[in-house]
Amino acid sequence: MEENRQPHMLLDPDQMYSELEKKIAATGHDFDLKRIRAAYEMARAAHEGQKRKDGSPYVTHCVAAADISVDMGLDEDSIVAALLHDVIEDTTLTHADIARDFGDAVADIVEGVTKLTRVQYTSKEDEQMENLRKMLMAMAKDIRVILIKIADRLHNMRTMDYQTPEKQRSKSLETMEIYAPIAHRLGIQKVKWELEDLSLQYLDPAGYKEIADSLRDRMPQLERFMKNMEEKIQTQLKSEGIEATVYYRIKHIYSIYRKMYAQKLNISGIFDLCAFRVIVDTIPDCYNVLGLIHYMFKPVPGRFKDYISTPKPNMYQSVHTTVIGSEGIPFEVQIRTWDMHHTAEYGIAAHWKYKMGDGASTVRGGDEEKFAWVRMLLESQQESDAQDFFHDLKIDMFADEVFVFSPKGDVINLPAGATPIDFAYSIHSDVGNHMVGAKVNGRIVTYDYALQNGDIVEIRTSKSAPGPSRDWLNMVKSGSARTKIKQWYKKERREENVIRGREMLEDELRHMGLTLDDVLDEEIIAPILKRLCFATLDDLYAAIGYNGIAVARAANRMRDEVKARSERNEKKTVLDKVSAAADRREQNAKKEVKPVQGVLVEGLDNCLIKFSRCCTPVPGDDIIGFITRGQGVSIHRKDCPNYQQRSHEPQNEGRWIRVAWAKEITESYVTSVSIASKDRSGLVMDIATVLNALNAKVRTLTSRDIGGGLALTNISLEVKNAGELRYVMNRLSAIPGVSSVTRSGEKK
Ligand code: MN
């Protein structure tokens, strides 16, 4: 019997595959189509007879996952692996079968995807979710495993209609809590949005429908509005000679949903449903466009964000602003370069796509800063050509951590190399102290077994357990387990520890040629106990006994104290008093000059410092001091015209002295800059917007018309150093209409 569903055309895998082949050819990469086809043939044969819930042959899912991988810009091995991603889990084929025909890299990826598929998911609180995400990333080892898993999940979500309601809910929840955040972290925004919207559709069908319906009703109006705004922006950009592509869209449903929820609004209360994107060729053009947009429309205060100067951790870069368009409708504008655009759409995948042509060296060279975290991934990699680049790109972000499951499904995060003992103590000290054995994935393991990502760890305990043994201290990797074991010894075995500690100390002292009697003098032992924070001598013995303090450390202290006392006794003579005075004099002479307001003046301590108003120096500038009459030392820049003129005047001889910036400077310095520009409306607003976005502390800002359609704006502001100042000045020069930005004292 056919199920009574919407009429559905069964998918034809061969036809889908030939579409995929065309798409691959269109990418322009010289991927081996024969090899990819062979993978398709292998998958089709292996899944023969299996069906998707909609009745289509199962292999259509594999082709679809490969298709998404191509969209994501992945490499040939990824496409091959995507086609084969379910064969280990669902067919009789093995790692060896895949490795024989397609190589180890592909087989490893497929096995990685299979492992991720087997991880049990149950919804937990946020911190557990974060650990679970990290565990999946760590288990994947090769980042392509994660990307293919995401492609797989995306296709499953797209075809979720055919699943039972329970499955729809649980898969959607998992997608929302695990895969959408991972896609976000990898910077694959397009995929993240689709995953979120698809999940929401099943998690809150009514909420989804409310937004979707409302958007549909308002669509004609919004479309008209966006078209109109787009034309306006395009016209303005053209007249300024800026080459740009403008896109517009309605924001994705889940982002609107989240905003409604967070701000407790209904959809009519959400205004900025429209988003514009302006893509240009260069970074200065981004800021030029920003200036123009703010010139054309009224910006909404507090909505300007500069992710170009401060990229998000997932490499995302753009400037964002929200402005009010005609009809009073606000809309968001994101401005970015093409390069940033590709990264935003496909994240790390796009990065490969665009860098693969010229090899990995590009990543190590020019884009160092931008791809800092990719570089982190690459650290272990000495050299590679474009082919090996993918293969060697391992997820070693979590190399020093291992993630394991408790029998209840909690994810426990431990240092790499951790053992079941670490695990037991991370659950509770009692579990550790009563541990009598451990099982990993159902099998008994030794206490020093190194836990692996994804292991399910079970600790056997007994009331009559003897407690931790001393060699556990050598097996544990986590500081907290070590502390807890020591605590146990401290508490449970005090008598024993006192005796043991005393013996250990005696032994150690004997090696130094001392006895306990030598050190048990009150004058010696009291300051030592105080310094080591012990109330009584027995406490010290006990601590030595349970290894709370190294016996050598205690013994060394005692030896030093004994020595110091005998020296003290020798020294008390009249001569000491004489030499003490000499010491004091020497001390004074050696005293270093202290900086005043961040400036060191040669040979002068604590003198009055003034920063000259003609050139307002800041740390990083080359500076020189001038001894004024009665007003201390005035600090000039070496390129200050006043210094240049007056340094050779005979009446000033000897009054110019060397000064330098102190090594560590905490204060800010007031300096001033002048901006020459066209005299246009909105200019001061633009300057203020840029300064505000940079968090610059502005003291004064004055702007005046200087004739000929030109304006001169003077700003005095606080900066930390010359680098920061240069940065601010660069930003100011990018404002449309600005012809120059100079520091005071500089030639225009
Ligand atoms: Mn699958």
Side-chain angles (χ1 to χ4, degrees), residues 57-283:
Y58 191 89
V59 74
T60 56
H61 163 65
C62 311
V63 177
D67 192 274
I68 296 170
S69 306
V70 175
D71 286 340
M72 282 163 55
L74 303 191
D75 69 338
E76 183 182 316
D77 274 355
S78 303
I79 298 167
V80 170
L83 286 165
L84 294 167
H85 80 268
D86 273 330
V87 298
I88 294 185
E89 182 70 11
D90 294 335
T91 79
T92 54
L93 291 181
T94 62
H95 181 280
D97 296 325
I98 301 172
R100 190 186 53 236
D101 288 8
F102 300 100
D104 281 335
V106 171
D108 288 349
I109 296 173
V110 174
E111 194 172 66
V113 175
T114 309
K115 268 193 203 153
L116 296 195
T117 305
R118 286 175 187 164
V119 168
Q120 286 291 315
Y121 162 84
T122 43
S123 185
K124 289 262 159 46
E125 65 274 26
D126 286 354
E127 196 192 334
Q128 277 290 304
M129 279 304 137
E130 179 54 21
N131 272 339
L132 192 53
R133 289 192 282 268
K134 283 185 185 168
M135 175 194 263
L136 294 176
M137 303 272 271
M139 279 174 77
K141 293 205 185 88
D142 184 330
I143 201 157
R144 288 173 296 184
V145 170
I146 286 279
L147 292 167
I148 291 169
K149 184 67 203 164
I150 288 172
D152 168 50
R153 175 52 55 99
L154 180 55
H155 182 248
N156 283 334
M157 289 304 299
R158 283 179 183 169
T159 52
M160 196 52 79
D161 271 351
Y162 300 94
Q163 297 287 354
T164 62
E166 296 79 59
K167 188 122 185 210
Q168 285 172 349
R169 263 196 75 79
S170 74
K171 286 287 162 193
S172 297
L173 200 57
E174 186 182 23
T175 302
M176 198 65 112
E177 293 190 316
I178 301 291
Y179 290 102
I182 289 179
H184 176 70
R185 181 166 306 169
L186 296 176
I188 326 170
Q189 296 313 316
K190 243 178 127 159
V191 173
K192 177 206 164 204
W193 289 346
E194 193 178 346
L195 288 174
E196 285 176 345
D197 279 3
L198 287 166
S199 304
L200 181 65
Q201 207 175 326
Y202 298 107
L203 292 173
D204 184 356
Y208 181 91
K209 192 169 176 308
E210 187 197 341
I211 297 172
D213 288 351
S214 159
L215 285 179
R216 201 174 314 112
D217 294 345
R218 292 165 72 176
M219 200 50 94
Q221 185 210 353
L222 291 171
E223 283 279 356
R224 217 173 25 245
F225 167 73
M226 290 192 293
K227 186 107 196 52
N228 189 0
M229 291 301 105
E230 190 224 337
E231 274 164 17
K232 268 198 183 153
I233 294 171
Q234 278 289 17
T235 311
Q236 187 73 27
L237 290 174
K238 269 211 192 86
S239 77
E240 293 284 331
I242 298 174
E243 189 77 28
T245 306
V246 181
Y247 294 110
Y248 55 83
R249 63 177 168 88
I250 298 292
K251 290 192 172 174
H252 78 291
I253 290 183
Y254 182 64
S255 81
I256 298 171
Y257 180 87
R258 222 176 27 203
K259 198 171 277 179
M260 284 168 59
Y261 187 79
Q263 303 179 359
K264 301 192 171 60
L265 294 168
N266 60 23
I267 179 130
S268 57
I270 303 282
F271 284 110
D272 49 341
L273 300 169
C274 309
F276 282 75
R277 192 166 285 153
V278 182
I279 306 175
V280 293
D281 292 329
T282 66
I283 292 179

Side-chain angles (χ1 to χ4, degrees), residues 520-662:
L520 289 186
D521 187 306
E522 190 63 18
E523 194 189 343
I524 289 171
I525 204 72
I528 290 176
L529 289 178
K530 201 171 157 200
R531 219 171 319 150
L532 296 175
C533 297
F534 292 107
T536 69
L537 189 57
D538 273 1
D539 287 348
L540 174 63
Y541 288 150
I544 294 172
Y546 66 78
N547 291 327
I549 174 174
V551 61
R553 185 164 158 234
N556 284 339
R557 279 277 159 95
M558 290 173 175
R559 182 197 53 201
D560 293 349
E561 200 61 42
V562 170
K563 205 168 139 209
R565 185 178 61 168
S566 58
E567 279 169 10
R568 267 201 304 279
N569 290 342
E570 280 168 23
K571 244 190 173 176
K572 284 179 184 154
T573 63
V574 185
L575 270 175
D576 284 346
K577 285 175 193 157
V578 179
S579 73
D583 276 356
R584 231 181 353 260
R585 270 197 306 281
E586 200 180 336
Q587 285 293 321
N588 277 338
K590 266 199 228 155
K591 200 164 70 182
E592 279 182 29
V593 176
K594 281 207 195 76
V596 178
Q597 294 181 60
V599 175
L600 298 159
V601 180
E602 188 182 56
L604 288 176
D605 198 7
N606 219 358
C607 61
L608 190 64
I609 294 274
K610 277 183 53 145
F611 294 100
S612 80
R613 237 177 292 168
C614 51
C615 57
T616 55
V618 298
D621 290 334
D622 260 350
I623 47 172
I624 187 92
F626 182 74
I627 305 174
T628 64
R629 293 186 204 281
Q631 291 183 41
V633 176
S634 122
I635 309 295
H636 290 259
R637 272 158 44 198
K638 277 199 181 149
D639 58 359
C640 169
N642 279 335
Y643 165 65
Q644 306 263 338
Q645 252 170 43
R646 290 163 54 191
S647 59
H648 301 299
E649 289 170 1
Q651 71 267 34
N652 291 332
E653 206 185 307
R655 292 177 64 189
W656 291 102
I657 54 168
R658 292 208 307 194
V659 295
W661 296 103

Side-chain angles (χ1 to χ4, degrees), residues 414-415 418-419 421-423 425-426 475-483:
L414 296 166
T419 61
I421 306 171
D422 290 288
F423 177 87
Y425 278 101
S426 80
M475 293 183 208
V476 294
K477 279 283 180 295
S478 58
S480 65
R482 188 166 292 123
T483 308

Side-chain angles (χ1 to χ4, degrees), residues 179-471:
Y179 290 102
I182 289 179
H184 176 70
R185 181 166 306 169
L186 296 176
I188 326 170
Q189 296 313 316
K190 243 178 127 159
V191 173
K192 177 206 164 204
W193 289 346
E194 193 178 346
L195 288 174
E196 285 176 345
D197 279 3
L198 287 166
S199 304
L200 181 65
Q201 207 175 326
Y202 298 107
L203 292 173
D204 184 356
Y208 181 91
K209 192 169 176 308
E210 187 197 341
I211 297 172
D213 288 351
S214 159
L215 285 179
R216 201 174 314 112
D217 294 345
R218 292 165 72 176
M219 200 50 94
Q221 185 210 353
L222 291 171
E223 283 279 356
R224 217 173 25 245
F225 167 73
M226 290 192 293
K227 186 107 196 52
N228 189 0
M229 291 301 105
E230 190 224 337
E231 274 164 17
K232 268 198 183 153
I233 294 171
Q234 278 289 17
T235 311
Q236 187 73 27
L237 290 174
K238 269 211 192 86
S239 77
E240 293 284 331
I242 298 174
E243 189 77 28
T245 306
V246 181
Y247 294 110
Y248 55 83
R249 63 177 168 88
I250 298 292
K251 290 192 172 174
H252 78 291
I253 290 183
Y254 182 64
S255 81
I256 298 171
Y257 180 87
R258 222 176 27 203
K259 198 171 277 179
M260 284 168 59
Y261 187 79
Q263 303 179 359
K264 301 192 171 60
L265 294 168
N266 60 23
I267 179 130
S268 57
I270 303 282
F271 284 110
D272 49 341
L273 300 169
C274 309
F276 282 75
R277 192 166 285 153
V278 182
I279 306 175
V280 293
D281 292 329
T282 66
I283 292 179
D285 270 354
C286 292
Y287 293 101
N288 287 337
V289 171
L290 177 72
L292 280 174
I293 300 277
H294 282 183
Y295 168 67
M296 295 170 68
F297 308 102
K298 192 173 153 25
V300 177
R303 292 296 297 272
F304 172 81
K305 290 189 191 87
D306 185 351
Y307 297 118
I308 292 183
S309 59
T310 317
K312 292 189 183 182
N314 65 9
M315 311 194 291
Y316 178 85
Q317 285 187 296
S318 281
V319 284
H320 292 187
T321 186
T322 301
V323 295
I324 315 269
S326 57
E327 310 171 38
I329 300 177
F331 58 91
E332 187 186 52
V333 186
Q334 304 175 346
I335 307 159
R336 53 175 79 142
T337 64
W338 281 106
D339 203 23
M340 296 171 192
H341 180 63
H342 294 305
T343 302
E345 296 285 292
Y346 288 117
I348 185 168
H351 171 62
W352 287 336
K353 190 171 173 181
Y354 285 87
K355 296 298 166 193
M356 259 180 74
D358 24 86
S361 56
T362 322
V363 185
R364 293 188 154 280
D367 289 325
E368 290 261 311
E369 286 313 306
K370 201 157 132 206
F371 298 112
W373 81 273
V374 176
R375 203 185 54 228
M376 231 164 66
L377 300 178
L378 289 168
E379 249 162 21
S380 59
Q381 188 185 348
Q382 286 310 306
E383 56 175 54
S384 73
D385 59 39
Q387 286 303 316
D388 291 339
F389 180 42
F390 263 111
H391 182 241
D392 294 340
L393 189 60
K394 294 285 195 314
I395 303 181
D396 51 11
M397 282 179 282
F398 308 113
D400 49 1
E401 289 173 89
V402 61
F403 301 88
V404 298
F405 284 114
S406 76
K408 276 188 289 177
D410 285 342
V411 180
I412 310 288
N413 177 358
L414 296 166
T419 61
I421 306 171
D422 290 288
F423 177 87
Y425 278 101
S426 80
I427 303 291
H428 197 278
S429 329
D430 274 350
V431 177
N433 291 337
H434 294 103
M435 172 172 175
V436 291
K439 277 185 179 176
V440 167
N441 304 327
R443 240 175 273 156
I444 292 177
V445 296
T446 54
Y447 283 16
D448 61 351
Y449 168 85
L451 297 173
Q452 305 295 311
N453 280 310
D455 277 351
I456 301 171
V457 189
E458 202 180 328
I459 301 297
R460 291 197 303 124
T461 58
S462 156
K463 281 228 165 69
S464 55
S469 101
R470 280 186 196 278
D471 29 301

